[in-house]
Amino acid sequence: MDSHGQVEQRVVWCVIDSGIGPLLLAATREGLVSVVFHATDAVRDRAVERLASRLGTEPVEAPGSPLLAEAIRQVAAYFAGERRDFDLPLDWSLISGFNREVLRELASGVPYGTVVGYGDLAGRVGQPGAAQAVGMAMGANPLPVVVPCHRVVESDGGIGGFGGGLETKRKLLALEGVLPEPLF
């Protein structure tokens, strides 16, 4: 507790290796709050600064924290091909409104090894015609991989965009058997 009797927000983070490069995982007492692709030093530093600004407290590097232990285990199992679903508490505080609604639907309604179109996902949340807004929600996803925005594709069969880069999206879809493994 702080000096005013309020429970202090605690944010812990670590960087782990994955099949798509280093990932930064950050968690609060509520659950996993952020996953950041390509977490090299510069990306990591910007991500930690952004978390501090958005959450109002300085994140602490704590790879051994119990707040991160299960997320680390499940993400590693996913990339090892041993896990298809994540069963983690999630802290949704970095996203709200339509974006949160779309991401919750994505997390619960688009299983491993399947894809959904931007427009189809818009329809699932009662906003047919909001495909472009769904694309914006995917770009704002603070929990990629765990909330699987890589599973959202264009209705014409195109792969669509991806904040982690198209090669990363292809690798995730290949891991899930949606696309063939790249030849090189």
Side-chain angles (χ1 to χ4, degrees):
M1 291 206 178
D2 67 15
S3 60
H4 303 290
Q6 300 293 312
V7 174
E8 289 184 74
Q9 171 74 297
R10 178 170 172 163
V11 182
V12 294
W13 64 272
C14 68
V15 175
I16 63 168
D17 289 324
S18 75
I20 55 171
L23 291 177
L24 181 141
L25 304 179
T28 67
R29 286 181 175 88
E30 298 298 314
L32 190 65
V33 72
S34 182
V35 176
V36 178
F37 293 116
H38 315 298
T40 58
D41 291 348
V43 170
R44 179 203 64 216
D45 292 348
R46 280 193 308 275
V48 170
E49 285 175 20
R50 211 169 31 253
L51 283 168
S53 172
R54 301 270 318 271
L55 297 173
T57 189
E58 193 63 38
V60 176
E61 184 175 13
S65 171
L67 297 176
L68 289 166
E70 187 60 17
I72 292 168
R73 191 184 72 69
Q74 288 190 28
V75 169
Y78 170 81
F79 282 105
E82 300 164 356
R83 177 176 268 296
R84 293 175 166 239
D85 301 304
F86 292 97
D87 183 20
L88 295 168
L90 301 177
D91 179 337
W92 293 94
S93 63
L94 294 177
I95 198 124
S96 61
F98 177 79
N99 290 356
R100 184 187 291 193
E101 185 180 357
V102 168
L103 291 171
R104 283 183 181 265
E105 173 58 32
L106 174 64
S108 66
V110 183
Y112 182 97
T114 66
V115 293
V116 65
Y118 293 94
D120 293 335
L121 191 52
R124 288 185 187 192
V125 296
Q127 298 290 325
Q132 192 170 12
V134 167
M136 299 297 286
M138 296 305 103
N141 181 5
L143 296 160
V145 180
V146 175
V147 176
C149 52
H150 60 276
R151 296 180 190 155
V152 184
V153 298
E154 296 173 347
S155 60
D156 65 3
I159 196 168
F162 194 62
L166 293 182
E167 186 57 31
T168 299
K169 186 171 186 172
R170 283 186 192 95
K171 286 180 180 179
L172 290 167
L173 290 173
L175 174 69
E176 295 189 11
V178 175
L179 292 177
E181 288 287 339
L183 295 175
F184 46 89

